Amino acid sequence: MGVSTTRSNEPTVTDPVLIDFATEVGPDGPVAVVGGGTAGPVGGAIDPAARIVHAPVGIVAIQPDELTVTVRAGTTVAALQDALGEVGQFVVLPSLGPASTVGGALALGWSDISALGYGPVRDSVLRIRYVDAWGRIVSTGGPTVKNVSGFDLCRLLVGSLGTIGLMGEVILRTRPRPGVTRWFTGSADARETWRRISPLRPTTLLWNGDTVWARLDGHHEDVAAAATVLAELGVDREVAGPPERPPHRRSLAPSALWSVPSIWPGEWLAELGTGIVHAASPPATTPLSPEVLALNRTIKAHFDPTGRLAPGRRPW
Amino acid sequence: MNLGGSVNAMVLRRSRRASRDASGRHGPDHDSLVDDLVSVLGSDRVLTSTAALRLYGHDASTFRGDAPPAVCLPTTTDEVAAVVTAIRRHGRPFVARGSGTGLAGGAVPLGDAVVIATTRMDRVLSIDAEHRVAWVQPGVLNLDLTRQLRPLGFHFAPDPSSQQACTIGGNVANNSGGPHCLAYGVTSAHVLAADVVLPDGTVARLGGEAVEPSGYDLRGVFVGSEGTLGIATAVAVRLTPNPEGITTMLAVFDDLDAAAASVSAIIAAGIVPAALEMMEGGLASVVEDFCGAGYPRDAAAVLLVELDGPRHGVADDAERVQRTVLDGGARSVRTAADDAEREALWRGRKSAFGAVARILPDYYLHDTVVPRHRLVEVLAEVRAIAARHDLVVHNVFHAGDGNLHPLLLFDSREPGIMERVHAAGDEIVAASLAAGGVLSGEHGIGLEKRDHMAAMFSPVDLEHQDRLRSAFDPDNVCNPDKVLPSGSRCGDLSAVPDGVWV
């Protein structure tokens, strides 16, 4: 790991590591990147005919006073968090397992359970360098936290399951670690808990229909004050962390969560405020409108006309 | 670094293509176009007077577009869709526009583009405070929305300095920022969904109140696309709870570099203020004359630091900020004792652009971003560039984001001055990119920086941006000739239309 003080932002990428990755992807034939494989075949299984390639690995530069990190997409999230921990920072990426990679997490686009407090994973991404369907290196976004220079294709890549381009390197926004992090649980009225505690900016609120789990981050006195409010609501037992999450995932409007107990079969765990539901059984998905479906298909065709990237997989 | 032909300089040499007006714009098709628009909106909401067309021919930038054939003032999604369909039937392009406060020329109509102004779509459709979402029409003013939300305990976090006048639709188009986006993020982080009239006249909901809808993040690519992918007709915005605690401080420095270095020191100490603004001393003095906000008249620079959030954390961070800036060479730190003093400190910051009129009548406001740790050297470079072109420059900017706003002051009556202003601007952009920065932090690309795009992106990068754009707008009719330089399109390049100024 190197800590550099300057970052090249020249339009033409000369980084040999990325050039090697682009060469490996090449201009033709079905191809897909596999990360840690921790999330399973989301969006359909990859066509077995596809050549599997691996994104480069390694942390390129941590810049604590910029609150940014430049990292190869094949680096594990765990390794990145460890390295950032040494400078008192972290990135908002989901913890999907020890093998989970940065590129895999971004291609999946699933936000961490801390999204209520720290925002969705897509807002962590500043710049992506990826290899396109023609085997060329493309840059999108920029190295600074604030940037509105042209169309932001980072948005398109996050959650694209590798169907637009194959990520080689990303710049992510980092955050300072909070003073303390504490988890509490207890049986409580979820809606009342949400109303009372949400103005105090909890990081996570989970609910399984009976029990609520809350994560509080920040200054120890603020956390203690919020914990007092939680205790009044019945969320009064301090625990080490969140419960195990069921494997499947669905996104609902936060206002629709309250009816989940009556509509959801089997075990589930909902994130209050963000509307993400983790469920034991694969949930039915809502079909896209014809207009949105047409846009999705056209976009895929514009970026990968021959369908060689992650064949068999689609994000809709 | 090849910056190509400067768009700014070229705009001054307007091509003489006035004959088009006689042959095309006001020909027979013009009348039937206006008739069709009137049949959708009625005659009172289709403007065709010379004065109105001239007014809508420009925005708050220095760019002067062409007078459009008509200006439409729809009030509903269906009307916008019908207007777009009618315009397309006549083979015309169109430009959506909010209040026209943009500084990059993004809302300037070019050629025979029809203007669709969303200013009459100004209703807040619903507020669900419990679930922190409001649906608003695009013409709602940014500050009006926040004023409606405040009593409920919420606000809309993006707060561009034009927030009294700019619309939510404009904020979405430009992915607008403001001082408080340092901690809260720019508009994209606060938009859940948008109902959009696409360039073919169909209507689609991009995104949703569910934060991870299936498919590509169309909401994400739409926000910040500067009106090139369609027209937002309803926007679901995220409501931000008002903070429990808030502390505002003014740190005064006798040394500009020490002030700039303190910005990095604060962030490196693990503190992310809600806002971290910097103003050079000369300007602080002018601001003080202008509005009596309590700014020093003899400082080299001031930092305005605001911390917000749960109160113990704010108090603790305030102490650490105070220590950091005093260690970094601040001669004094003043903490606002109450809301009145806090408002006075912000009034000083927000009055800066008005106050500079006391120095010279005109200004050109730039917008680039540099890595925070390069602020000292880039500010020195900006001063050197201004000196080389014999221009007055003042800097007041979002230092915490590295978002520079050099303010070049001039008197437009002085012969040859605009060439110098634009030449200096081009050099400032180049210096920012050379320091590892980006073209724009919050004003967008529009026309102003379109021809600088190739300095930040490779031809393949730009081609990919156009792959996205053309997926939404294959016929290049939706705010054409903005953002991407001509030549970005793979294969058949769209020719620059006749009568375009740039």
Side-chain angles (χ1 to χ4, degrees):
Chain A
M1 182 191 87
V3 178
S4 81
T5 52
T6 58
R7 290 292 309 135
S8 161
N9 195 30
E10 291 296 310
T12 305
V13 176
T14 52
D15 182 342
V17 173
L18 292 179
I19 291 171
D20 284 351
F21 180 50
T23 306
E24 193 187 349
V25 172
D28 44 38
V31 62
V33 165
V34 168
T38 42
V42 177
I46 297 279
D47 184 336
R51 197 159 44 88
I52 301 301
V53 295
H54 295 278
V57 178
I59 295 168
V60 179
I62 292 176
Q63 294 190 279
D65 62 343
E66 297 300 322
L67 295 176
T68 62
V69 58
T70 307
V71 60
R72 309 291 192 194
T75 312
T76 64
V77 173
L80 176 60
Q81 300 287 24
D82 284 349
L84 287 170
E86 288 174 22
V87 296
Q89 296 183 359
F90 70 102
V91 285
V92 183
L93 286 176
S95 318
L96 297 168
S100 169
T101 62
V102 171
L106 295 178
L108 202 55
W110 291 357
S111 294
D112 186 46
I113 57 166
S114 64
L116 175 62
Y118 296 124
V121 65
R122 62 194 184 214
D123 288 349
S124 290
V125 182
L126 303 178
R127 188 183 78 186
I128 299 178
R129 287 188 163 157
Y130 60 98
V131 178
D132 76 358
W134 294 266
R136 306 172 299 182
I137 300 169
V138 186
S139 282
T140 183
T144 58
V145 168
K146 203 169 179 186
N147 174 26
V148 292
S149 308
F151 296 92
D152 187 359
L153 303 178
C154 295
R155 303 287 175 179
L156 202 57
L157 288 157
V158 174
S160 69
L161 302 176
T163 60
I164 295 288
L166 306 181
M167 286 183 259
E169 179 190 283
V170 300
I171 299 182
L172 301 172
R173 175 182 195 166
T174 65
R175 290 172 175 269
R177 285 200 167 178
V180 297
T181 292
R182 295 171 72 185
W183 280 93
F184 298 89
T185 190
S187 182
D189 179 326
R191 196 157 183 173
E192 181 62 15
T193 304
W194 165 253
R195 284 186 189 138
R196 291 273 308 279
I197 204 71
S198 62
L200 301 180
R201 302 188 182 186
T203 304
T204 308
L205 286 173
L206 303 170
W207 174 52
N208 68 358
D210 169 56
T211 302
V212 170
W213 289 260
R215 173 176 159 185
L216 303 173
D217 283 4
H219 189 277
H220 66 95
E221 287 178 81
D222 292 318
V223 168
T228 306
V229 177
L230 279 174
E232 286 167 14
L233 292 157
V235 186
D236 53 3
R237 195 158 53 85
E238 185 155 7
V239 286
E244 195 78 0
R245 291 188 294 280
H248 298 285
R249 183 182 182 95
R250 184 167 174 192
S251 176
L252 301 179
S255 58
L257 279 186
W258 314 119
S259 57
V260 163
S262 59
I263 60 168
W264 214 276
E267 190 197 348
W268 52 267
L269 186 69
E271 298 178 19
L272 303 186
T274 68
I276 299 296
V277 182
H278 306 266
S281 53
T285 51
T286 317
L288 297 176
S289 72
E291 294 80 12
V292 170
L293 182 61
L295 278 172
N296 273 278
R297 288 187 170 140
T298 308
I299 288 170
K300 170 66 177 173
H302 277 217
F303 285 88
D304 182 20
T306 63
R308 69 178 290 244
L309 302 179
R313 192 162 273 188
R314 59 178 195 194
W316 63 84
Chain B
M1 187 177 299
N2 174 25
L3 291 179
S6 157
V7 65
N8 294 328
M10 288 171 78
V11 87
L12 298 170
R13 298 193 295 269
R14 183 179 186 189
S15 57
R16 308 250 183 267
R17 288 170 173 162
S19 61
R20 179 177 180 80
D21 283 7
S23 62
R25 175 129 23 102
H26 300 303
D29 181 58
H30 172 262
D31 293 336
S32 75
L33 168 70
V34 171
D35 287 348
D36 283 1
L37 295 173
V38 167
S39 75
V40 174
L41 298 175
S43 56
D44 57 330
R45 291 192 287 125
V46 180
L47 309 182
T48 54
S49 74
T50 308
L53 300 184
R54 190 175 301 147
L55 180 67
Y56 284 89
H58 57 88
D59 58 13
S61 70
T62 58
F63 298 93
R64 293 290 173 269
D66 297 298
V71 176
C72 302
L73 301 171
T75 57
T76 64
T77 300
D78 287 348
E79 284 185 355
V80 174
V83 162
V84 166
T85 303
I87 293 168
R88 293 298 311 271
R89 204 163 51 233
H90 288 271
R92 304 293 181 104
F94 56 88
V95 179
R97 163 194 180 99
S99 297
T101 56
L103 292 167
V108 165
L110 300 174
D112 55 2
V114 178
V115 170
I116 302 172
T118 58
T119 43
R120 294 202 186 176
M121 303 179 76
D122 59 355
R123 286 186 301 129
V124 174
L125 300 169
S126 65
I127 296 176
D128 179 354
E130 184 184 4
H131 303 105
R132 301 182 179 182
V133 58
W135 280 90
V136 304
Q137 288 192 308
V140 170
L141 300 186
N142 176 298
L143 191 58
D144 282 354
L145 176 60
T146 279
R147 282 191 179 129
Q148 286 199 44
L149 296 173
R150 286 257 182 233
L152 305 172
F154 295 90
H155 65 286
F156 182 58
D159 59 342
S161 61
S162 58
Q163 73 175 147
Q164 294 189 33
C166 66
T167 63
I168 299 297
N171 295 167
V172 169
N174 279 337
N175 196 11
S176 301
H180 288 85
C181 70
L182 175 56
Y184 290 96
V186 291
T187 298
S188 180
H190 303 279
V191 170
L192 294 165
D195 286 345
V196 172
V197 174
L198 297 170
D200 65 0
T202 59
V203 180
R205 173 162 296 181
L206 311 184
E209 290 185 34
V211 291
E212 291 176 13
S214 67
Y216 298 120
D217 182 10
L218 303 183
R219 171 213 65 88
V221 296
F222 184 82
V223 176
S225 61
E226 303 197 34
T228 63
L229 303 184
I231 303 175
T233 57
V235 182
V237 296
R238 188 192 301 279
L239 313 184
T240 301
N242 296 338
E244 181 190 31
I246 190 160
T247 293
T248 308
M249 293 178 282
L250 190 74
V252 180
F253 290 82
D254 291 324
D255 180 63
L256 184 67
D257 293 352
S262 288
V263 171
S264 277
I266 290 169
I267 303 288
I271 301 165
V272 181
L276 176 45
E277 303 282 303
M278 181 164 160
M279 189 187 294
E280 287 179 348
L283 187 54
S285 172
V286 175
V287 162
E288 188 56 21
D289 291 343
F290 182 75
C291 71
Y295 280 42
R297 292 175 197 276
D298 58 348
V302 298
L303 291 182
L304 183 63
V305 189
E306 186 157 283
L307 300 157
D308 77 12
R311 60 195 173 93
H312 295 288
V314 168
D316 196 47
D317 283 352
E319 248 185 72
R320 292 166 63 208
V321 166
Q322 185 148 353
R323 246 191 343 262
T324 303
V325 295
L326 289 173
D327 287 352
R331 78 172 187 224
S332 67
V333 183
R334 182 176 135 210
T335 301
D338 51 28
D339 283 352
E341 193 174 359
R342 174 174 170 259
E343 277 161 27
L345 291 177
W346 275 107
R347 191 166 65 244
R349 166 63 180 87
K350 291 181 175 176
S351 303
F353 299 150
V356 294
R358 294 191 164 202
I359 306 172
L360 281 164
D362 302 299
Y363 65 75
Y364 196 113
L365 177 61
H366 276 275
D367 167 48
T368 64
V369 187
V370 299
R372 274 180 284 264
H373 70 273
R374 306 291 293 271
L375 272 176
V376 171
E377 64 190 280
V378 177
L379 281 173
E381 180 70 23
V382 166
R383 286 193 297 277
I385 289 166
R388 265 203 307 278
H389 293 278
D390 194 20
L391 291 166
V392 178
V393 66
H394 282 292
N395 284 292
V396 50
F397 60 100
H398 311 310
D401 293 311
N403 188 184
L404 290 177
H405 280 329
L407 205 51
L408 297 170
L409 308 186
F410 59 97
D411 183 340
S412 56
R413 293 166 298 188
E414 188 185 332
I417 186 77
M418 290 311 292
E419 281 84 349
R420 275 155 51 206
V421 168
H422 290 309
D426 288 348
E427 289 176 30
I428 289 170
V429 169
S432 301
L433 291 181
V438 300
L439 288 171
S440 174
E442 53 187 15
H443 293 178
I445 300 300
L447 284 173
E448 183 192 37
K449 301 223 172 91
R450 186 190 67 180
D451 293 350
H452 290 291
M453 284 285 276
M456 181 169 161
F457 295 106
S458 75
V460 173
D461 300 342
L462 293 173
E463 178 207 303
H464 268 234
Q465 293 192 27
D466 191 66
R467 286 180 187 278
L468 172 72
R469 179 182 183 154
S470 59
F472 281 77
D473 182 18
D475 303 320
N476 202 23
V477 293
C478 192
N479 205 7
D481 303 306
K482 308 287 175 62
V483 187
L484 296 178
S486 63
S488 303
R489 187 153 292 192
C490 186
D492 180 31
L493 308 176
S494 63
V496 176
D498 222 15
V500 166
W501 292 35
V502 291

